[in-house]
Amino acid sequence: MKINLVFDIDDTMYDLMAPFKKAHEHFFADRVNADPTELFKKSRIYSDIILEREKNGEISSRDSFHERLRMTYQDVGLNIKREESDGFEAEYRYYQTNIEMFDFMREVLDYCKEADLPIAVLTNGNYTGQWRKAEALNLQKWFSPEQIFISGEIGYHKPDVRAFQAVAERMHFQPDQTWYVGDTYESDIAGASQAGWHTIWLNHRMRTCPDKNCTADKEIHEGIFLLPIIKALL
């Protein structure tokens, strides 16, 4: 069976929660009694909401991180000031430059390269920030620049089906032969499904599916199961 594989970056290729937890511990852990894991999950949801508002011109890119963080902590009764969110963001971005790829993902990408499978990346975010992550993860070992698609560059962000269609068009991928691997149901799985792609939900944060009928073709709770699934698809 011929398949194409497209991967998310954030919290799919590396542990996005680690930089968030470190910044939380520094700035807010002594002021709020909240599970940082749950805060992180909330921030991921609000990140997609803010991206949509930024796209529609309702909020500036300069204010987007503050608003995302404000909404996250407001849910647990903490009102944060702009200078606090600016400090949090600076530390969070710093830790993101020291990220390391999950071992299981490195094995998956090595296999894809050896098997000569058509692969690409589709990630949400601004071009500069996401490209820094791509460099920190050494993605050039497996992907050419033409195989890396960043929403801030292509003009559409997940779950907008046009983001997935842009990848399919440029890569000459047939939707019914294309599988998307991502961790966020709303933007990754629902978006790819609406574009006619197959999906593998890397639900390692054990989130409850927000849809009554989950559209993911495959759902795994540990990354070690990803490579066996890909091999089985072939």
Coordinates of all heavy atoms in Angstrom, one line a residue, residues 48-80:
D48 N -4.9 27.5 20.0 CA -5.6 27.4 18.7 C -6.7 28.4 18.6 O -6.9 29.0 17.5 CB -6.2 26.0 18.6 CG -5.2 24.9 18.3 OD1 -4.1 25.2 17.8 OD2 -5.4 23.7 18.7
I49 N -7.4 28.7 19.7 CA -8.4 29.8 19.7 C -7.8 31.1 19.3 O -8.3 31.9 18.5 CB -9.1 29.9 21.0 CG1 -9.9 28.6 21.3 CG2 -10.0 31.1 21.1 CD1 -10.5 28.5 22.6
I50 N -6.6 31.4 20.0 CA -5.9 32.7 19.7 C -5.4 32.8 18.3 O -5.4 33.9 17.7 CB -4.8 32.9 20.8 CG1 -5.4 33.0 22.2 CG2 -4.0 34.2 20.5 CD1 -6.4 34.2 22.3
L51 N -4.9 31.7 17.8 CA -4.4 31.7 16.4 C -5.5 32.1 15.4 O -5.3 32.8 14.5 CB -3.9 30.3 16.0 CG -2.4 30.0 16.3 CD1 -2.0 28.6 16.0 CD2 -1.5 30.9 15.4
E52 N -6.7 31.6 15.7 CA -7.9 31.9 14.8 C -8.2 33.4 15.0 O -8.5 34.0 13.9 CB -9.1 31.0 15.2 CG -10.3 31.2 14.4 CD -10.1 30.7 12.9 OE1 -9.2 29.8 12.7 OE2 -10.8 31.2 12.0
R53 N -8.2 33.9 16.2 CA -8.4 35.3 16.4 C -7.4 36.2 15.7 O -7.7 37.3 15.2 CB -8.5 35.6 17.9 CG -9.8 35.1 18.5 CD -9.8 35.3 20.0 NE -9.7 36.8 20.3 CZ -9.5 37.3 21.5 NH1 -9.3 36.5 22.5 NH2 -9.5 38.6 21.7
E54 N -6.1 35.7 15.8 CA -5.0 36.5 15.2 C -5.2 36.5 13.7 O -5.0 37.5 13.0 CB -3.7 35.8 15.6 CG -2.5 36.6 15.1 CD -1.2 35.9 15.5 OE1 -1.2 35.1 16.4 OE2 -0.1 36.2 14.9
K55 N -5.6 35.3 13.1 CA -5.8 35.2 11.7 C -6.9 36.2 11.2 O -6.8 36.8 10.1 CB -6.1 33.8 11.3 CG -6.6 33.6 9.9 CD -7.2 32.2 9.7 CE -7.9 32.1 8.4 NZ -8.7 30.8 8.3
N56 N -7.9 36.3 12.0 CA -9.0 37.2 11.7 C -8.8 38.7 12.0 O -9.7 39.5 11.8 CB -10.3 36.7 12.4 CG -10.8 35.3 11.9 OD1 -10.5 34.9 10.8 ND2 -11.4 34.6 12.8
G57 N -7.6 39.0 12.5 CA -7.3 40.4 12.8 C -7.9 40.9 14.0 O -7.9 42.1 14.3
E58 N -8.4 40.0 14.9 CA -9.0 40.4 16.2 C -7.9 40.7 17.3 O -8.3 41.3 18.3 CB -10.0 39.3 16.6 CG -11.1 39.1 15.7 CD -11.9 37.9 16.0 OE1 -11.8 37.5 17.2 OE2 -12.6 37.3 15.2
I59 N -6.7 40.2 17.1 CA -5.7 40.3 18.1 C -4.4 40.4 17.3 O -4.2 39.7 16.3 CB -5.7 39.2 19.1 CG1 -4.7 39.4 20.2 CG2 -5.4 37.8 18.4 CD1 -4.9 38.4 21.4
S60 N -3.4 41.1 17.8 CA -2.1 41.3 17.2 C -1.2 40.1 17.6 O -1.4 39.5 18.6 CB -1.4 42.6 17.6 OG -1.0 42.6 18.9
S61 N -0.2 39.8 16.7 CA 0.7 38.7 17.0 C 1.5 39.1 18.3 O 1.9 38.2 19.1 CB 1.7 38.5 15.9 OG 2.3 39.7 15.6
R62 N 1.7 40.3 18.5 CA 2.4 40.7 19.8 C 1.7 40.4 21.0 O 2.2 40.1 22.1 CB 2.7 42.2 19.7 CG 3.5 42.8 20.9 CD 3.8 44.3 20.7 NE 4.6 44.8 21.9 CZ 4.0 45.1 23.0 NH1 2.7 45.0 23.2 NH2 4.8 45.5 24.1
D63 N 0.3 40.4 20.9 CA -0.5 40.2 22.1 C -1.0 38.7 22.2 O -1.6 38.4 23.2 CB -1.8 41.1 22.1 CG -1.4 42.6 22.2 OD1 -0.4 42.9 22.8 OD2 -2.2 43.4 21.6
S64 N -0.7 37.9 21.3 CA -1.3 36.6 21.2 C -0.8 35.7 22.4 O -1.7 35.0 23.0 CB -1.0 35.9 19.9 OG 0.4 35.8 19.7
F65 N 0.5 35.7 22.7 CA 0.9 34.8 23.8 C 0.3 35.3 25.1 O -0.1 34.5 25.9 CB 2.5 34.8 23.8 CG 3.0 33.7 24.8 CD1 3.3 32.5 24.3 CD2 3.2 34.0 26.1 CE1 3.8 31.5 25.1 CE2 3.7 33.0 27.0 CZ 3.9 31.7 26.5
H66 N 0.3 36.6 25.3 CA -0.2 37.1 26.6 C -1.7 36.7 26.8 O -2.1 36.2 27.8 CB -0.1 38.6 26.7 CG -0.9 39.2 27.8 ND1 -0.6 39.1 29.1 CD2 -2.1 39.9 27.8 CE1 -1.5 39.7 29.9 NE2 -2.4 40.2 29.1
E67 N -2.4 36.8 25.7 CA -3.9 36.5 25.8 C -4.1 35.0 26.0 O -4.9 34.6 26.8 CB -4.6 36.9 24.5 CG -6.1 36.8 24.6 CD -6.7 37.7 25.6 OE1 -6.0 38.6 26.1 OE2 -7.9 37.5 25.9
R68 N -3.3 34.2 25.4 CA -3.3 32.7 25.6 C -3.0 32.4 27.0 O -3.7 31.6 27.7 CB -2.3 32.0 24.6 CG -2.0 30.6 25.0 CD -0.9 30.1 24.1 NE -0.2 28.9 24.5 CZ 0.8 28.4 23.9 NH1 1.4 29.0 22.8 NH2 1.3 27.3 24.3
L69 N -2.0 33.0 27.6 CA -1.6 32.7 29.0 C -2.6 33.3 30.0 O -2.9 32.6 31.0 CB -0.2 33.3 29.2 CG 0.7 32.6 30.3 CD1 1.0 31.2 29.9 CD2 1.9 33.4 30.6
R70 N -3.1 34.4 29.7 CA -4.1 35.1 30.5 C -5.3 34.2 30.7 O -5.8 34.0 31.8 CB -4.5 36.4 30.0 CG -5.5 37.2 30.9 CD -6.1 38.4 30.1 NE -7.0 38.0 29.0 CZ -8.2 37.5 29.2 NH1 -8.7 37.4 30.4 NH2 -8.9 37.2 28.1
M71 N -5.8 33.7 29.6 CA -7.0 32.8 29.6 C -6.7 31.5 30.3 O -7.6 31.0 31.1 CB -7.4 32.5 28.1 CG -7.9 33.7 27.4 SD -8.1 33.4 25.6 CE -9.6 32.4 25.6
T72 N -5.5 31.0 30.1 CA -5.1 29.7 30.8 C -5.2 29.9 32.3 O -5.8 29.1 33.0 CB -3.7 29.3 30.4 OG1 -3.7 29.0 29.0 CG2 -3.3 28.0 31.1
Y73 N -4.6 30.9 32.8 CA -4.5 31.1 34.3 C -5.7 31.7 34.9 O -6.0 31.5 36.1 CB -3.2 31.9 34.6 CG -2.0 31.1 34.6 CD1 -1.2 31.0 33.4 CD2 -1.6 30.3 35.7 CE1 -0.1 30.2 33.4 CE2 -0.4 29.6 35.7 CZ 0.3 29.5 34.5 OH 1.5 28.7 34.5
Q74 N -6.5 32.4 34.1 CA -7.8 32.9 34.6 C -8.7 31.8 35.0 O -9.5 31.9 35.9 CB -8.4 33.8 33.5 CG -9.6 34.6 33.9 CD -10.2 35.5 32.9 OE1 -10.5 35.0 31.8 NE2 -10.3 36.7 33.1
D75 N -8.6 30.7 34.3 CA -9.4 29.5 34.5 C -9.2 28.9 35.9 O -10.0 28.2 36.5 CB -9.2 28.4 33.5 CG -10.0 28.6 32.2 OD1 -10.7 29.6 32.1 OD2 -9.8 27.8 31.3
V76 N -8.0 29.2 36.5 CA -7.7 28.7 37.8 C -7.6 29.9 38.8 O -7.0 29.7 39.9 CB -6.4 27.9 37.9 CG1 -6.6 26.6 37.1 CG2 -5.2 28.7 37.3
G77 N -8.2 31.0 38.5 CA -8.3 32.1 39.4 C -7.2 33.0 39.6 O -7.1 33.7 40.6
L78 N -6.2 33.0 38.6 CA -5.1 33.8 38.7 C -5.1 34.9 37.6 O -5.1 34.5 36.4 CB -3.8 33.0 38.7 CG -2.5 33.8 38.8 CD1 -2.4 34.4 40.2 CD2 -1.3 32.9 38.6
N79 N -5.1 36.1 38.0 CA -5.0 37.2 37.0 C -3.5 37.6 36.8 O -2.9 38.1 37.8 CB -5.8 38.4 37.4 CG -7.3 38.1 37.4 OD1 -7.8 37.4 36.5 ND2 -8.0 38.5 38.4
I80 N -3.0 37.5 35.6 CA -1.6 37.8 35.4 C -1.4 39.1 34.7 O -2.2 39.4 33.8 CB -0.8 36.6 34.7 CG1 -1.4 36.4 33.3 CG2 -0.9 35.3 35.5 CD1 -0.6 35.4 32.5

